[in-house]
Amino acid sequence: MPSTGAWDRLKATFANEFRQLTTLHASDRAWQMPFAAALASGLPLLAGAHYGRMADGLVASLGGLVFLYLPATPLSHRMVSLMASAFGMVACYALGALSHLLPPSLAPLLIPVLTFVAIVVTMVCRVYGVGPPGSLFFVMAAAIGVYTPVEPATLPARVGLIALGCLLACLIGFAYSLHALRRRAPEPVVPPPAPTFDFVVFDSVVIGVFVGISLALAQALQLEKPYWVPVSCLAVIQGASLRAVWNKQLQRVLGTGVGMVLSWGMLMLPLGPWSVGLGVMALSFVIEAMVVRHYGIAVVFITPLTILLAEATTLGHTVPGPLVLARFFDTVLGCVVGLVGGICLHSPRFREIAGRPLRRLVPSRLLH
């Protein structure tokens, strides 16, 4: 039996974890922002449903995610930042899609390619002070481009579709900003943090390496949609502290577990192209309204959203149970790798051991 002191510490630990899991944060986000985000992601799907080209609508809908990079700064800075993010989204997807030009014998190169993308994109986001969601959606666009089957002849059209989705997001962002700036003064433009070696180089390399490790594990286990594992890993490992990493992975796993039930219920419904588009818009609205209040609750709705986006063209031919369980396993695997990466990232001993040889590879003029 544990001693009284040990029992009290254990109860205090569980109480603290429960408090972390159930705390709702205050939010001043107006409903217009989630509504605009839902339009940016959902309108391409409704267009795809109207023209009977749901696959094309899904690609354009991915570009609509760039709306989430809209800062709350003055209009000129907002639009420059949003258009720069749109360029990055198109470039990452195009780089991933170009991997389909490689012969099958070079398929193992996909892991280092995605690792390199994660490293470079994370560096760029840190140099220019890109806020949440950081490098997440850029890496996700590259991963989806890599693992979505496509004929090489249709690659230019696919890149054009995601560019159109980004353009729509920019137009919606402009209209939303005009409305928002009438109601609230813009926030000042904060200069990006000093680009130190640890913050820009070391952290980005560690994050990219663990994203690559998660993808390698997904491929070794022959998962049907391996790209969701590195996306889950990246979502967790980007926490600002080890406490934040732990909270995020725990909330993501628990939220995904609850989201499985919601997903199973949705997949039992007779979903068609129009209902998928409207469902994505409704889920996007709830996610953006809740993510600043409680990440775990938002993940409950992220789970069915990602399943709808991934399976929109085959929903009538899929069995809900195996599909939902596969997504849960993908999330758990990515979160476990992300947690291990977060422990390494925030360990002073690991930083000292791994940082020393990494510094030798960087030219000395770039360290100052």
Side-chain angles (χ1 to χ4, degrees), residues 39 85 143 325:
L39 289 178
S85 298
L325 287 174

Side-chain angles (χ1 to χ4, degrees), residues 166-254:
C166 289
L167 175 60
L168 176 63
C170 289
L171 293 175
I172 292 174
F174 180 70
Y176 164 75
S177 296
L178 291 177
H179 172 76
L181 291 173
R182 289 179 57 214
R183 299 168 57 90
R184 183 180 301 175
E187 296 179 3
V189 179
V190 179
T196 62
F197 171 82
D198 284 341
F199 181 70
V200 175
V201 179
F202 182 83
D203 287 6
S204 300
V205 170
V206 172
I207 289 172
V209 167
F210 276 93
V211 166
I213 291 173
S214 67
L215 180 59
L217 289 175
Q219 286 199 345
L221 295 173
Q222 298 182 344
L223 302 183
E224 184 179 356
K225 295 186 181 297
Y227 62 80
W228 192 244
V229 177
V231 170
S232 298
C233 172
L234 185 58
V236 168
I237 200 175
Q238 286 190 127
S241 63
L242 186 56
R243 175 79 246 185
V245 172
W246 168 255
N247 286 344
K248 223 170 186 182
Q249 70 90 25
L250 188 59
Q251 291 180 11
R252 194 170 185 89
V253 171
L254 294 177

Side-chain angles (χ1 to χ4, degrees), residues 59-332:
V59 178
S61 177
L62 179 62
L65 293 174
V66 80
F67 175 85
L68 302 179
Y69 288 93
L70 183 70
T73 49
L75 183 61
S76 58
H77 184 265
R78 284 182 184 228
M79 297 315 299
V80 170
S81 300
L82 187 59
M83 288 187 286
S85 298
F87 173 80
M89 185 76 80
V90 174
C92 288
Y93 180 82
L95 183 61
L98 286 174
S99 65
H100 293 282
L101 300 177
L102 295 174
S105 60
L106 296 180
L109 288 178
L110 297 179
I111 296 174
V113 166
L114 199 59
T115 301
F116 176 77
V117 170
I119 292 173
V120 172
V121 171
T122 304
M123 284 183 179
V124 172
C125 288
R126 293 196 167 209
V127 166
Y128 290 99
V130 177
S135 59
L136 178 64
F137 290 128
F138 300 114
V139 176
M140 185 174 78
I144 291 176
V146 169
Y147 289 100
T148 301
V150 61
E151 292 294 329
T154 64
L155 289 179
R158 289 298 184 97
V159 175
L161 285 168
I162 195 172
L164 286 175
C166 289
L167 175 60
L168 176 63
C170 289
L171 293 175
I172 292 174
F174 180 70
Y176 164 75
S177 296
L178 291 177
H179 172 76
L181 291 173
R182 289 179 57 214
R183 299 168 57 90
R184 183 180 301 175
E187 296 179 3
V189 179
V190 179
T196 62
F197 171 82
D198 284 341
F199 181 70
V200 175
V201 179
F202 182 83
D203 287 6
S204 300
V205 170
V206 172
I207 289 172
V209 167
F210 276 93
V211 166
I213 291 173
S214 67
L215 180 59
L217 289 175
Q219 286 199 345
L221 295 173
Q222 298 182 344
L223 302 183
E224 184 179 356
K225 295 186 181 297
Y227 62 80
W228 192 244
V229 177
V231 170
S232 298
C233 172
L234 185 58
V236 168
I237 200 175
Q238 286 190 127
S241 63
L242 186 56
R243 175 79 246 185
V245 172
W246 168 255
N247 286 344
K248 223 170 186 182
Q249 70 90 25
L250 188 59
Q251 291 180 11
R252 194 170 185 89
V253 171
L254 294 177
T256 301
V258 178
M260 287 173 59
V261 180
L262 179 60
S263 302
W264 183 83
M266 290 184 62
L267 293 174
M268 294 298 291
L269 300 174
L271 298 175
W274 286 99
S275 54
V276 168
L278 293 174
V280 166
M281 294 179 71
L283 290 169
S284 298
F285 180 88
V286 175
I287 290 166
E288 291 309 314
M290 289 303 305
V291 71
V292 292
R293 293 181 176 273
H294 194 283
Y295 181 71
I297 296 177
V299 171
V300 172
F301 300 94
I302 290 174
T303 303
L305 175 67
T306 55
I307 289 178
L308 285 182
L309 291 176
E311 307 294 336
T313 57
T314 60
L315 282 176
H317 311 285
T318 55
V319 181
L323 177 63
V324 171
L325 287 174
R327 180 50 48 86
F328 181 72
F329 181 78
D330 295 345
T331 301
V332 171

